[in-house]
Structure formats: C-alpha cells, structure tokens
Amino acid sequence: QVQLVESGGGLVQPGGSLRLSCAASGRGFIINTMGWYRQAPGNQRDLVAAIGSGVSTNYADSVKGRFTISRDNAKNTVYLQMNSLKPEDTGVYYCKADGLGFYSWGQGTRVTVSS
C-alpha cells in the first residue's frame, strides 16, 4: 500500500503563490503517474495537473501558464507550483498516485485564495 502525504496549502491573497508537495511512501511500489486534483465546495474532484514517469505533463485549461507540476522520482515526491492564484483556485487539493495494480489518494490540503 502506498501512502501519500500532502503539504503546503494555506491562505493566500489573489495574485500570490503557493507550492504544494506530496510525498509517497510504502514498500515495493512503482508509480507511473502522479497528479493533483481540486475539489471546491459542492463540486466534484477535478484534475488540475498530472505528470508521467518521464516528462509528460497535462494541465487543466484553467491553470495553464500559472501552475507547474514537477516530480522528484528519487524522493517519490510531486510538487505543484501555483502562481498568479485566483479566488476560483480555492478548494481542497488532493494528490493521486497511479501505479502497477494500484492507485492511492492523499488526505488533501486546503488552499484558500482570498483578500
């Protein structure tokens, strides 16, 4: 079983930046894709950004040019650099890892963009 622990959420003013981290731990696992999802109150959980085991990335249209996803395979960690934050970026951000025969979710970290 793979455990994911997110960190880096918080309160930020519009136009500000935050960096989220998600560290995976466990034994004998191989992760293919790691991604960040956002769930706003009353909404479904939507993909924000994902990164494959190589350099391939995928972003939601709403965050292109503002968010950057990266990963450190040696540390089994994925990052989400969020710049030029907007109030509509507010929500709980969840990390997800997809591997051979499994997928795991983190517990979520809350991001609030408000003045």
Side-chain angles (χ1 to χ4, degrees):
Q1 187 174 1
V2 176
Q3 293 79 42
L4 302 176
V5 177
E6 300 109 329
S7 61
L11 173 65
V12 63
Q13 292 186 344
S17 297
L18 283 175
R19 188 191 193 210
L20 306 184
S21 299
C22 172
S25 62
R27 298 182 66 180
F29 62 90
I30 298 175
I31 296 175
N32 293 325
T33 302
M34 299 189 79
W36 288 96
Y37 290 73
R38 176 172 66 210
Q39 188 165 21
N43 291 354
Q44 64 183 16
R45 194 176 296 185
D46 293 323
L47 176 69
V48 174
I51 184 167
S53 56
V55 296
S56 62
T57 57
N58 182 35
Y59 294 95
D61 288 343
S62 61
V63 306
K64 286 181 179 177
R66 300 188 298 122
F67 291 10
T68 303
I69 189 170
S70 60
R71 71 191 276 181
D72 184 334
N73 291 326
K75 296 181 179 179
N76 289 316
T77 300
V78 64
Y79 307 95
L80 185 68
Q81 178 66 43
M82 306 186 293
N83 299 328
S84 302
L85 282 160
K86 303 176 181 180
E88 51 263 43
D89 294 319
T90 293
V92 179
Y93 284 70
Y94 295 90
C95 175
K96 184 186 180 189
D98 289 272
L100 294 176
F102 78 92
Y103 67 91
S104 293
W105 288 97
Q107 82 286 355
T109 184
R110 184 172 300 276
V111 172
T112 303
V113 184
S114 175
S115 55

